Amino acid sequence: MNPTPRKPLMPLDDALATLLAAASPALPTEQVATFDADRRVLRQALVSALHVPPQDNSSMDGYAVRCADLAHALPDRPVVLPVSQRIAAGHAGVALQPGTVARIFTGAPVPEGADAIVMQEDVVLSEENGQVMAQFRMVPKAGAWIRLAGEDVTRGAQVLACGRRMGPAELGLAASLGLAELVVSRRPRVALFSTGDELVMPGTVPPEAMPPGAIYNSNRFFLRALLQRLGCEVSDLGIVPDRREATVAALAAAAQTHDVILTSGGVSVGEEDHIKPAVEALGSLALWQIAMKPGKPFAFGSVRHASGAAHFLGLPGNPVSSFMTFVLLVRPFLLKLQGVTDTSCPVLALPAHFDLPKADKRREFLRVRRNAQGGLELFANQSSGVLTSAVWGDGVVDLPAGQTIAAGERVRYMAFADLIG
Ligand code: AMP
Ligand code: MG
């Protein structure tokens, strides 16, 4: 009997396009304190209601002067002027009278009439009849050491676009506009569960007492951490046994109260793989099996509930497959669901410092790390079960299907730092 002809696997880019299309419309919005908005996605454009900085201010500790008063200063013939006021940060001075200078500190507003700051290191002080006098030995450039109002942001300018993810710098910028609250996407509610009767939770059985065939559940730990970094509210539903009814029950229950269901394992073609039929019984699969290595048995679809449907994403059980399909597919999906406009990952062209003589039919993601020479080294064991590769490596080479690599060639590199979080 001829084996059933195999359906061609779906290219990764097509799978990603399907996921991104399904992640629209984005989740509803909510208002949060800017303080708590790290990693949240903006759903409003941020427009500045003021200049930043709000007024011209000194970028040095020194003396605010009128350049015209110092026009004749020379190294051997200083101009000596009285210090008429002292302006510290947070305090406004008064207009600077011609023929006087003001002591000024970093961040303090430049008094009206002053057109340069001379740094204190270039000024010698003296006293005449109780009046502090300052000696200047050169002519400052107009505008020296003055930070102009609006130099960072001008009033009315858009500083951050809708769909931008907040990070530390973005939070600071939002705060500099006076914004105490931001409109962001509601956190995705994600139900996470692992499948596999062989799985044991660390802490429940010590290593020396592990029964034959048992392994510790590692996927649960990194998937949970990856989800949390993406701003998700994670319901960790534990381990579902490899039984059809248990899988159906777990999926159906999770769909009621979650936007997304994420599973690991049980999504291949074996008799012990119950995820696919369970999803098909409760909803539908939009795609299954992708032409990537590692990570072929990835599934995407939806699970219906009384008033709609939850998105379903099924990851392979092998830890590296699980990890790679998460960062390449689930991550962009979850970002788009929160309204992120650009979900792509930066790609660098770096020289391979290794050979890969054997091509694969699938697009490959090789765990590599950058060396001190700016090249990439390959982790020796690229098996989908070897999680050490993802710890040793600092990123992956994205190798098109059917291609080999000769040392020295430039390859596409994506850093884990950009793929995680
Ligand atoms: P599966 O996709 O269920 O066929 O699992 C493929 C391989 O990944 C098997 O060797 C499993 O034991 C392993 N595996 C599945 N789930 C996990 C997990 N949560 N942690 C570690 N290994 C897993
Ligand atoms: Mg399994």
Side-chain angles (χ1 to χ4, degrees):
M1 207 174 73
N2 286 331
T4 340
R6 284 215 198 138
K7 232 179 89 189
L9 304 176
M10 184 184 263
L12 177 59
D13 288 340
D14 295 359
L16 183 59
T18 304
L19 264 75
L20 291 179
S24 183
L27 293 170
T29 62
E30 64 183 15
Q31 194 141 330
V32 296
T34 305
F35 256 138
D36 302 322
D38 188 26
R39 296 171 192 265
R40 303 297 294 271
V41 180
L42 268 186
R43 296 288 290 279
Q44 62 174 147
L46 298 191
V47 174
S48 184
L50 80 174
H51 280 334
V52 182
Q55 62 268 310
D56 293 356
N57 67 87
S58 177
S59 65
M60 279 288 170
D61 288 347
Y63 295 83
V65 302
R66 291 169 171 268
C67 291
D69 290 340
L70 306 184
H72 303 295
L74 288 169
D76 57 350
R77 201 146 44 85
V79 169
V80 185
L81 295 172
V83 180
S84 59
Q85 58 178 319
R86 184 178 188 278
I87 313 169
H91 301 272
V94 296
L96 187 68
Q97 295 309 312
T100 73
V101 300
R103 178 74 169 121
I104 196 164
F105 297 90
T106 305
V110 175
E112 199 191 311
D115 54 7
I117 307 296
V118 178
M119 63 166 91
Q120 62 188 22
E121 290 82 345
D122 294 338
V123 177
V124 174
L125 293 181
S126 56
E127 212 186 294
E128 277 176 32
N129 306 325
Q131 168 66 51
V132 179
M133 306 296 288
Q135 299 178 18
F136 298 89
R137 289 168 195 278
M138 51 196 167
V139 190
K141 277 208 191 81
W145 306 116
I146 294 177
R147 293 191 287 225
L148 296 176
E151 162 178 311
D152 187 358
V153 178
T154 50
R155 188 184 307 113
Q158 176 179 302
V159 299
L160 291 173
C162 184
R164 174 77 180 241
R165 206 163 167 231
M166 300 301 286
E170 287 79 4
L171 292 175
L173 191 57
S176 77
L177 308 187
L179 298 170
E181 302 215 304
L182 300 171
V183 177
V184 298
S185 190
R186 165 167 85 54
R187 291 179 183 279
R189 297 177 188 135
V190 183
L192 170 66
F193 55 83
S194 330
T195 72
D197 288 350
E198 71 279 30
L199 300 180
V200 168
M201 278 304 283
T204 58
V205 180
E208 63 279 7
M210 284 287 271
I215 57 162
Y216 287 119
N217 186 346
S218 51
N219 297 1
R220 184 173 176 180
F221 288 77
F222 66 71
L223 291 174
R224 189 182 154 112
L226 287 164
L227 287 168
Q228 282 166 344
R229 286 178 181 217
L230 290 169
C232 298
E233 228 173 75
V234 185
S235 311
D236 189 335
L237 301 176
I239 301 168
V240 176
D242 285 329
R243 279 188 294 110
R244 173 79 184 271
E245 320 79 73
T247 309
V248 169
L251 290 176
Q256 308 284 344
T257 47
H258 296 91
D259 305 305
V260 175
I261 301 173
L262 185 70
T263 64
S264 90
V267 79
S268 289
V269 280
E271 281 163 30
E272 296 296 337
D273 294 317
H274 301 289
I275 289 285
K276 185 173 177 270
V279 174
E280 283 168 332
L282 295 166
S284 60
L285 276 185
L287 66 90
W288 178 59
Q289 296 204 324
I290 298 179
M292 64 182 280
K293 186 183 174 183
K296 179 171 104 175
F298 172 86
F300 174 68
S302 58
V303 174
R304 277 191 303 274
H305 58 81
S307 58
H311 298 288
F312 167 80
L313 297 115
L315 307 183
N318 274 309
V320 185
S321 307
S322 215
F323 191 86
M324 289 311 304
T325 47
F326 188 99
V327 298
L328 296 172
L329 290 158
V330 183
R331 180 178 187 273
F333 174 82
L334 288 171
L335 290 177
K336 177 88 187 294
L337 200 59
Q338 295 178 74
V340 171
T341 33
D342 181 9
T343 62
S344 65
C345 171
V347 177
L348 297 179
L350 296 179
H353 284 185
F354 62 88
D355 290 302
L356 193 87
K358 194 169 162 286
D360 198 278
K361 285 203 288 289
R362 287 180 273 160
R363 180 166 165 187
E364 265 191 282
F365 292 91
L366 306 161
R367 273 77 65 218
V368 295
R369 80 175 175 204
R370 296 173 77 159
N371 61 22
Q373 293 73 47
L376 297 172
E377 285 170 22
L378 183 70
F379 189 70
N381 188 342
Q382 293 286 327
S383 156
S384 61
V386 176
L387 204 49
T388 315
S389 66
V391 173
W392 180 93
D394 56 17
V396 287
V397 164
D398 172 7
L399 181 65
Q403 286 197 14
T404 57
I405 299 172
E409 255 175 67
R410 281 185 184 271
V411 290
R412 286 164 55 83
Y413 167 84
M414 290 185 281
F416 283 144
D418 291 320
L419 286 167
I420 290 170

